[in-house]
Amino acid sequence: MATVTLDHLRKDFPDGTVAVEDFSLLIEDGEFLTLLGPSGCGKTTTLRMIAGLETPTGGAIRFGDRRVDDLAPGQRNIAMVFQSYALYPHMTVRQNLEYPLKKHGVPREERRRRADELALMLQIGPLLDRRPKQLSGGQQQRVALGRALIRDPEVFLLDEPLSNLDATLRAQLRAELIQLHQRIGKTMVYVTHDQFEAMTMSTRIAVLHQGRLQQVGTPDEVYRRPANRFVASFVGTPAMNFLTGEIAGEGDRIAIAGVTTPVSLPPERAAALRELSPARDVIVGLRPEDILVGTGEASATIKLVEPLGHEALVYLDIGGQSVISRASSEMSLRAKESTAIDFRAARLHLFDPASGRRLDC
Ligand SMILES: Nc1ncnc2c1ncn2[C@@H]1O[C@H](COP(=O)(O)OP(=O)(O)OP(=O)(O)O)[C@@H](O)[C@H]1O
Ligand SMILES: [Mg+2]
C-alpha cells in the first residue's frame, strides 16, 4: 500500500523560517496529488521531507502503516525529479537514464529497452549519446524526468518537472504524464505553482499558502467551492472578482455595493444563508464567467475590452468597484460606454470579510 500520510508535519529551518506548519494530509494509493501554491509557500520543503532529504522538526510521515521519518532516501522506494535537476555531467543521456536501473542490478538488455522506450516518449532519442552540457535546459529537464520514470518505485515525487519547457512541449508532456499515471496507477505527488497544470492533471489538489494547507479537494471542488479568499483568488484566470456587499432582505438576497437591485439567491442557498444573520457585511466573489455583460438590470461602465479571439475580457466599473468579466467576442463592446450586466446568482461565492473564510451556503 503506497498511501502517504502527512501527520501534523512541520519544518523549522535553523534561521527561524517556518517553511511548513501543521500540515496533515492522507494521499491515497494511486492518487495524483498536486501541491499547489505561490513561490515560497513550502511545496519543495514538503516534497523533500517526503523524500527524506529534509528532516521534519515536528509531526510524522507514513507510507502505508510504516513510519518513514527515520529512513534514508534510498530506503524509501521513491523516485524524485528535482526542481533543480542534477544530471551526472560525465555520463551520456543514455547512461543517465539507465543509471537508476544499473544501480539496482537490472540486466543490460532490459535497461536499453526501457531507456529507448522513455527516449521515444520524451523525444530525446537523437540525444542519447550526448552529455548534459550539450543539451538545452528543456532537454536536460526531459532527461531528468526520464531518469525518474525509468524505475518502478512505490511513490513518484515530482517538483515542477515541466517548468523549463516551452509551451508546446509542456502541453504535450502534461498529456503524457496523465496517460502514464493512468497506465501505471502509482501514487504521484506533484509540485507546481501553475494552477493550469494542477487543474488538468490532478486527482486532488492541496493548496498551500505560507506553509499552511488551505484546502484539499478535487480540481472541481477547489474551483467551485474555494475554502477561503486565498484559494478563490489563486485558482482561476482571470482571478475571481471580489466585491463588498451585505446580506439583505430576509437573508435571501445579496446587496452588492454600487448595484441598485440586490441579487436574489436560489431558494436552497437562501435557506442556508438565513442561518447567517442578515445585514451582515460579506465579500462577494464572482468569477469572470459569472458576470454577464449586455443583459440584466444592473449597469456598469466598460473600462477596457481585451479581445482574445474566441472571447473577450471586459474590464468593468461597477459603482466604483473594478471587475473583469468574460464576454463573447461577437458582442460589440466599447470602452467608456455603459452596459447592462447580470450576475449568475447560483454561482456567487460569499466570504467572511474578517477571516476570509467561505460562508457555507
Ligand atoms: N535551507 C533553508 N533555510 C532557510 N529557509 C529556507 C530553506 N529552504 C527553504 N527556505 C524557506 O522556506 C520557505 C519555503 O520554501 P520552499 O522551497 O519549500 O518553497 P516553494 O513553495 O517550493 O517555492 P518555489 O515555488 O519558489 O519553488 C521559503 O520561505 C524559503 O525561503
Ligand atoms: Mg520549490
Side-chain angles (χ1 to χ4, degrees):
M1 269 271 287
T3 57
V4 176
T5 308
L6 312 182
D7 191 0
H8 299 283
L9 202 59
R10 179 183 177 95
K11 179 66 185 179
D12 301 79
F13 282 109
D15 68 354
T17 306
V18 185
V20 177
E21 210 175 340
D22 199 24
F23 188 1
S24 292
L25 177 66
L26 170 63
I27 303 171
E28 302 285 354
D29 189 25
E31 188 168 23
F32 195 118
L33 188 283
T34 299
L35 299 176
L36 174 70
S39 184
C41 72
K43 306 181 294 293
T44 296
T45 306
T46 303
L47 208 65
R48 286 173 59 82
M49 287 194 281
I50 300 174
L53 298 167
E54 212 65 82
T55 313
T57 48
I61 303 174
R62 283 182 216 93
F63 289 2
D65 296 331
R66 188 168 51 120
R67 191 142 176 201
V68 297
D69 305 33
D70 297 332
L71 298 182
Q75 299 172 302
R76 293 194 187 191
N77 201 12
I78 46 145
M80 181 163 180
V81 184
F82 298 96
Q83 193 169 11
S84 55
Y85 41 87
L87 298 173
Y88 302 110
H90 57 288
M91 292 187 192
T92 63
V93 168
R94 177 180 288 285
Q95 288 165 336
N96 264 286
L97 285 175
E98 291 185 12
Y99 183 74
L101 296 181
K102 195 169 175 185
K103 215 170 56 178
H104 285 83
V106 176
R108 200 189 140 111
E109 283 309 303
E110 170 71 7
R111 282 186 342 234
R112 282 195 79 84
R113 194 184 59 72
R114 290 285 295 135
D116 287 336
E117 228 174 70
L118 278 164
L120 191 68
M121 175 185 130
L122 297 166
Q123 300 179 17
I124 47 177
L127 310 174
L128 282 170
D129 295 324
R130 293 204 198 167
R131 288 181 205 285
K133 69 168 188 297
Q134 298 168 300
L135 304 175
S136 73
Q139 290 167 336
Q140 290 182 35
Q141 194 157 35
R142 275 178 282 160
V143 179
L145 193 55
R147 196 176 52 181
L149 297 179
I150 202 159
R151 282 192 47 227
D152 189 26
E154 270 187 284
V155 180
F156 285 100
L157 305 174
L158 305 161
D159 193 351
E160 313 235 13
L162 309 183
S163 59
N164 282 326
L165 306 176
D166 66 42
T168 316
L169 203 54
R170 198 155 62 218
Q172 207 173 338
L173 276 184
R174 201 167 56 225
E176 293 281 4
L177 273 178
I178 296 170
Q179 287 173 35
L180 179 91
H181 176 251
Q182 285 167 353
R183 204 164 62 229
I184 64 177
K186 286 291 166 80
T187 309
M188 294 195 175
V189 187
Y190 188 93
V191 161
T192 185
H193 62 264
D194 179 340
Q195 47 142 329
F196 190 75
E197 273 180 21
M199 293 296 283
T200 52
M201 302 173 83
S202 320
T203 332
R204 284 189 306 160
I205 302 174
V207 185
L208 287 178
H209 179 46
Q210 295 177 342
R212 285 184 167 269
L213 179 65
Q214 306 293 307
Q215 181 172 11
V216 56
T218 63
D220 204 54
E221 283 162 1
V222 168
Y223 191 78
R224 289 181 195 277
R225 296 185 66 76
N228 58 38
R229 267 189 78 164
F230 175 80
V231 177
S233 62
F234 195 74
V235 176
T237 334
M240 184 185 283
N241 299 289
F242 297 106
L243 297 153
T244 53
E246 196 182 272
I247 300 175
E250 303 276 293
D252 54 353
R253 275 177 281 171
I254 305 296
I256 298 175
V259 178
T260 347
T261 321
V263 181
S264 296
L265 291 179
E268 66 281 7
R269 293 198 65 186
L273 193 60
R274 265 193 284 276
E275 312 274 306
L276 305 162
S277 57
R280 156 185 179 155
D281 288 341
V282 287
I283 301 288
V284 179
L286 282 159
R287 297 223 178 258
E289 58 270 31
D290 299 329
I291 299 176
L292 308 174
V293 179
T295 175
E297 288 175 28
S299 77
T301 309
I302 301 172
K303 293 198 293 187
L304 177 74
V305 181
E306 262 180 10
L308 297 176
H310 63 296
E311 65 174 8
L313 296 181
V314 189
Y315 293 66
L316 299 166
D317 182 297
I318 303 177
Q321 306 196 77
S322 297
V323 302
I324 302 180
S325 78
R326 292 180 198 281
S328 158
S329 51
E330 320 263 287
M331 295 177 73
S332 58
L333 300 168
R334 266 193 290 271
K336 298 205 179 100
E337 289 185 357
S338 96
T339 179
I341 54 164
D342 205 353
F343 308 100
R344 278 193 223 269
R347 299 225 210 132
L348 174 149
H349 306 256
L350 296 177
F351 301 97
D352 181 88
S355 68
R357 269 200 286 275
R358 176 183 196 85
L359 295 175
D360 251 319
C361 64

